[in-house]
Amino acid sequence: MADLRVKIGGLDLKNPIMTASGTFGFGEEFNDFFDISKLGGYVVKGTTFEPRQGNAYPRMAETPAGMLNAVGLQNKGVHYFADVIYPRIKDIDSHLVVNVNGSTIEDYIKCTEKVAELERVTAIELNISCPNVKQGGMSFGVCATSASEVVKAVRKVYSKTLIVKLSPNVTDITEIARAAEAEGADSVSLINTLLGMAIDVEKRRPLLSTVTGGLSGPCVKPVALAMVWKTAKAVKIPVVGMGGIMDWKDAVEFLLAGASAVQVGTANFIDPTVCLKIIDGLNDYLDRHNYSSVNEIIGAIGV
Amino acid sequence: MRKFVADFTVTDNIALNANYFLLKLTSVEKLPEMLPGQFVEVKVDGSPTTFLRRPISINNIIEERNELWLLIQTIGDGTRTLSALKSGDLLNLILPLGNSFTLPENPSKSVLLIGGGVGTAPMLFWGKYLKNRGFEPNFLLGARSSKDLLQLEEFDKYGTVFTTTEDGSAGEKGFVTQHTILQTKSFDFIYTCGPKPMMLAVAVYAKSKNISCEVSLENTMACGFGVCLCCVENTINGNVCVCTEGPIFNINELKWQI
Ligand SMILES: Cc1cc2nc3c(=O)[nH]c(=O)nc-3n(C[C@H](O)[C@H](O)[C@H](O)COP(=O)(O)OP(=O)(O)OC[C@H]3O[C@@H](n4cnc5c(N)ncnc54)[C@H](O)[C@@H]3O)c2cc1C
Ligand SMILES: Cc1cc2nc3c(=O)[nH]c(=O)nc-3n(C[C@H](O)[C@H](O)[C@H](O)COP(=O)(O)O)c2cc1C
Ligand code: FES
């Protein structure tokens, strides 16, 4: 049994397997399926300061080896989370991470400040892929200047572990990662969904109400892996890798590419117990190759 | 209700006609409690173009044999792959999912279950459940033609069956909403599942007669257990997940143009 513990900023994770925001609800939806305290950490649904209704239906389209979503951050707001959800989930023995979103810098700050009051939330994951309403809806995460601005503002009000989640819909993701690092982020996580689209040819209409949406699942894995590898070389802070992880082998690929931990997203829909299988598979892999700690394989591809 | 992910064994796969098949499944474990209107999420193996699970209604439960039935229409690659399953094959399901039809308090109430096309699937289990609780359900089943009217001998066991076909090859000619019983009999509760235009027409009828009416929605789903928020229906309570708050809704909750 190898040592699976890894460190992300101030977090000591019991293993590098986490779940991705928007694919794991608040964790409690999985209680019937497995003991979620076995996870290294879990990132709950995207949360905003004000409640949001999200986008109109249809919000989902299946694509080859993946899916498009256009949920649009439907959530009941950070106060509802703090008052109603948090008391139900705070005692789970794992790292509870809140995915923080906003459409202005002030929104991000207000949401972060509320989350900071919650003792058992040990980190936030700052989703900078959200559209910036003051910049014509362009995402904060698409340029280093606006990314720096939001990370800097949030860093000022948040002293626990700050993970910045990067959008892959950029020219050079390492530039944004370096900007986040420079403003004091403890870690970066990537990738968020890739911009995609699907059309119903019979109806000659887009399949999503929003026309375009976010692509996830195994189809994005090679793209995600390359971005994780490049980013891990470009920054000194730990990288959390994700995008299309379906089994332990995919997870090991991300670790070998330089990720210190991974998140599992869409795969939870198909097998709600997949994370347990990934933890077991990772352990077997390390034993089989006589590694004593998972840290030995992080970035270990010799390039 | 506790949810499970479990492997089931196919005991039978019966082609009912060119487009519909009935899967009979069993498991070593005793089947968990399931309610009419609930559904399962089926993992489809062996179809490279099918990534997500497929939601399918519970068609029937035979407790004595620990058996679960799924009535499936071949639509695309996922259902086509399922249609090729053979006795002995394993099928992985998440179940039971969703809410259920509302049981009227008094068995003397007259209930009408309207199913169109594959929408008849949940009505069999619901009809049987009602019958077992002392109700005398009426079934109104609609299809394109006589060969598409499925499981009639099963429905006969649990109540009075009325049918319509679009080509007039069985029952009354036309759509379910044109059937004469809607004019000649009176009902206290109507439950319906089928194509949206049909359910909408049923809802309009029910509302005009002030009859309590529940519909079963089939919004596209990614997870089926309330975590992806992809399956929402816009209701008087805002966007709610059909997979957890539904699939059964009272028409008064919906924002349909009724
Ligand atoms: C709660 C619920 C219960 C259901 N119960 C049953 C059941 O008991 N029996 C049954 O046969 N089916 C049922 N369905 C529908 C079933 O899930 C779909 O037909 C199935 O997912 C199609 O998969 P596929 O891979 O064969 O087709 P796909 O390749 O996914 O689709 C082929 C084509 O059919 C269209 N399509 C897909 N799903 C639907 C849909 N739900 N309604 C209309 N058009 C669709 C697609 O847009 C596409 O054009 C249910 C759906 C829900 C949400
Ligand atoms: C339905 C759905 C909802 C998502 N919601 C969020 C969200 O609220 N915040 C966020 O940062 N990422 C969100 N994501 C992105 C995932 O967390 C993850 O970055 C992405 O899906 C890639 O991983 P995967 O291929 O393993 O799913 C969502 C993804 C899906 C499929
Ligand atoms: S299908 Fe995922 S929430 Fe309903």
Side-chain angles (χ1 to χ4, degrees), chain A residues 62 200 202-203 207, chain B residues 20-21 37-41 44 47 49-50 53-59 70-81 118-119 121-122 193 216-221 242-243 247:
Chain A
E62 194 179 26
D200 181 331
E202 299 303 325
K203 296 188 184 139
L207 280 169
Chain B
Y20 288 86
F21 58 100
Q38 290 191 300
F39 64 100
V40 303
E41 279 279 0
V44 182
S47 168
T49 49
T50 307
R53 285 178 183 258
R54 293 295 187 261
I56 302 290
S57 306
I58 297 169
N59 174 240
L70 304 177
L71 175 74
I72 304 177
Q73 179 180 20
T74 308
I75 296 265
D77 290 351
T79 48
R80 194 171 306 114
T81 305
V118 78
C193 181
S216 177
L217 302 188
E218 293 202 348
N219 292 15
T220 44
M221 298 182 174
V242 170
C243 71

Side-chain angles (χ1 to χ4, degrees), chain A residues 105-125:
Chain A
I105 300 223
E106 297 71 57
D107 280 353
Y108 275 108
I109 294 174
K110 284 192 286 183
C111 187
T112 304
E113 283 174 335
K114 184 71 204 170
V115 174
E117 295 170 9
L118 309 173
E119 190 194 344
R120 294 280 301 166
V121 177
T122 45
I124 60 168
E125 182 180 59

Side-chain angles (χ1 to χ4, degrees), chain B residues 82-158:
Chain B
L82 295 175
S83 73
L85 286 168
K86 296 197 170 48
S87 306
D89 287 348
L90 291 183
L91 198 60
N92 187 270
L93 307 182
I94 306 178
L95 82 177
L97 300 171
N99 66 354
S100 55
F101 293 112
T102 311
L103 188 72
E105 273 165 31
N106 185 345
S108 69
K109 294 288 181 195
S110 92
V111 292
L112 176 64
L113 282 55
I114 307 181
V118 78
T120 59
M123 294 308 171
L124 182 62
F125 183 28
W126 180 218
K128 178 177 172 178
Y129 189 94
L130 286 165
K131 176 80 182 173
N132 288 343
R133 279 155 188 77
F135 288 82
E136 289 298 334
N138 298 284
F139 299 103
L140 174 52
L141 310 174
R144 287 234 176 82
S145 77
S146 64
K147 66 178 190 330
D148 301 316
L149 282 170
L150 308 169
Q151 299 182 300
L152 292 182
E153 66 301 339
E154 289 292 333
F155 281 106
D156 266 335
K157 293 181 192 167
Y158 309 117

Side-chain angles (χ1 to χ4, degrees), chain A residues 194-240:
Chain A
L194 276 159
L195 188 71
M197 178 169 172
I199 297 172
D200 181 331
V201 293
E202 299 303 325
K203 296 188 184 139
R204 292 175 291 280
R205 295 284 302 156
L207 280 169
L208 297 177
S209 67
T210 48
V211 185
T212 60
L215 186 65
S216 65
C219 59
V220 309
K221 196 189 86 178
V223 177
L225 201 59
M227 289 188 168
V228 164
W229 177 67
K230 284 209 231 164
T231 304
K233 286 197 304 175
V235 296
K236 295 196 182 61
I237 51 178
V239 171
V240 179

Side-chain angles (χ1 to χ4, degrees), chain A residues 32 53 57 59-60 62 270, chain B residues 3 51-53 220 229:
Chain A
D32 282 353
Q53 274 293 313
Y57 179 84
R59 293 177 172 185
M60 194 281 287
E62 194 179 26
I270 294 147
Chain B
K3 297 187 267 298
F51 174 60
L52 298 164
R53 285 178 183 258
T220 44
L229 307 189

